[in-house]
Amino acid sequence: MSSEKVHVEHCKGVNGLDKVILREIRGCSAEVYLYGGQVTSWKNELREELLFLSSKAIFKPPKAIRGGVPICFPQFRNIGSLEQHGFARNRVWSVDPDPPPFPSNTSHRAFVDLILRPSEEDVKIWPHRYECRLRVALGPGGDLMLTSRIRNTNTDGKSFTFTFAYHTYFFVTDISEVRVEGLETLDYLDNLKNRERFTEQGDAITFESEVDKVYLGAPTKIAILDHERKRTFVLRKDGLPDAVVWNPWDKKAKAMADLGDDEYKHMLCVEAACVENPITLKPGEEWRGRQELSAVPSSYCSGQLDPRRALFSG
Ligand code: BG6
């Protein structure tokens, strides 16, 4: 087996959809579907799944896959005539034959470059041309790194404006025992209260009912502590100023065809996003955004979170 094959395997997934498996030498892995350009699995060296994927996920267009890391582009939510969270998550991406250099990732061998360009049908829905690139890479320590580059390729001189999110579903043992650190005292828009603006209290965020909030100007590092599993996820982001936190809780979960009734207990979405201030690109301009996830034992940082230490100590 060639070393290339060990790190990157192209194969078929659910319903015969194309998927790419990334493997890192210590046993960590990730799976990426070309449908949606979507990471659906991320495992540590013990082969433990770190992302939530619904047991009822529908791997069939036009429904986006419920779980993993859906890409929300060209919009987050449902503003105007476009569908909720945009269409990138229910289009078939291609493996990028000619990716531009991604300087920071050059030493990683387990990566794949994907690209989405609009079809003629897409241009009717959103009248713009673009190249939406995604590099998914596994770091040597098993970190999951997503880098996006979006370029305006309009030939009619028109700018376009978009919002974006990595809609990450973390797998948690019990949502009632989860704490999120890094969002305290921030302002947020509450989607459950007509997007009214509030200020978060000073304590770490815990969960006892439905949550759907957009935290504004969130720090570059956020930690999600799964007490029961003694695991901390550290999310690092760049170019994505906001952070969305979502859990549908019991009633909404029951109403969702592609989520098991009790599965809300084992998921938490914390999404690096750009929602409040949309990005505008002139023709030829490019935007970059990035999200890096790592999972470390909670003992490294319990009580006195320092995500930098947590990231580099394990
Ligand atoms: C979150 C939104 O990001 O995604 C929620 O803040 C929304 O309002 C949720 O319900 C799920 O969206 P969808 O379209 O995947 O069901």
Side-chain angles (χ1 to χ4, degrees), residues 66 76 84-85 89 167 191 212 244 246 271:
R66 174 78 58 202
F76 179 81
Q84 155 113 325
H85 293 342
R89 64 179 182 160
H167 196 308
N191 285 331
D212 191 352
V244 182
W246 178 63
E271 314 167 29

Side-chain angles (χ1 to χ4, degrees), residues 239-251:
L240 294 159
D242 307 318
V244 182
V245 176
W246 178 63
N247 183 295
W249 221 255
D250 54 351
K251 279 204 195 78

Side-chain angles (χ1 to χ4, degrees), residues 25-213:
I25 214 82
R26 293 198 305 184
C28 310
S29 65
E31 297 192 4
V32 190
Y33 273 75
L34 266 52
Y35 178 57
Q38 187 162 333
V39 175
T40 54
S41 168
W42 170 42
K43 290 183 180 163
N44 62 15
E45 66 274 17
L46 301 172
R47 270 69 167 179
E48 292 168 333
E49 184 56 69
L50 303 171
L51 295 178
F52 170 83
L53 178 65
S54 169
S55 65
K56 294 186 162 182
I58 299 163
F59 287 73
K60 213 175 184 184
K63 190 75 190 158
I65 301 166
R66 174 78 58 202
V69 190
I71 304 282
C72 302
F73 170 80
Q75 71 169 7
F76 179 81
R77 301 195 77 233
N78 46 346
I79 305 150
S81 57
L82 282 182
E83 60 200 271
Q84 155 113 325
H85 293 342
F87 47 71
R89 64 179 182 160
N90 60 15
R91 294 295 186 273
V92 180
W93 296 48
S94 307
V95 173
D96 191 353
D98 187 23
F102 283 76
S104 53
N105 287 350
T106 43
S107 62
H108 305 141
R109 284 188 288 175
F111 69 89
V112 63
D113 286 296
L114 303 182
I115 186 163
L116 179 71
R117 291 192 179 93
S119 67
E120 291 313 310
E121 286 305 303
D122 292 340
V123 175
K124 288 181 194 155
I125 303 169
W126 197 59
H128 298 292
R129 296 192 185 269
Y130 54 84
E131 288 172 347
C132 182
R133 290 191 156 85
L134 173 69
R135 170 168 288 197
V136 182
L138 268 184
D143 295 358
L144 179 68
M145 299 179 287
L146 304 182
T147 309
S148 290
R149 303 167 75 136
I150 296 172
R151 177 177 289 277
N152 180 336
T153 56
N154 273 336
T155 50
D156 57 6
K158 287 197 181 128
S159 299
F160 62 64
T161 297
F162 65 94
T163 52
F164 184 96
Y166 292 118
H167 196 308
T168 310
Y169 287 75
F170 291 95
F171 175 79
V172 296
T173 319
D174 175 0
I175 185 69
S176 315
E177 300 289 325
V178 170
R179 194 165 92 214
V180 175
E181 295 187 2
L183 304 175
E184 314 77 74
T185 72
L186 293 184
D187 279 4
Y188 64 88
L189 306 178
D190 195 337
N191 285 331
L192 302 178
K193 294 183 180 148
N194 284 321
R195 306 202 44 169
E196 211 182 311
R197 192 170 178 136
F198 297 93
T199 302
E200 191 56 81
Q201 29 85 23
D203 301 327
I205 293 153
T206 52
F207 301 88
E208 50 193 26
S209 59
E210 184 184 0
V211 180
D212 191 352
K213 297 176 178 175

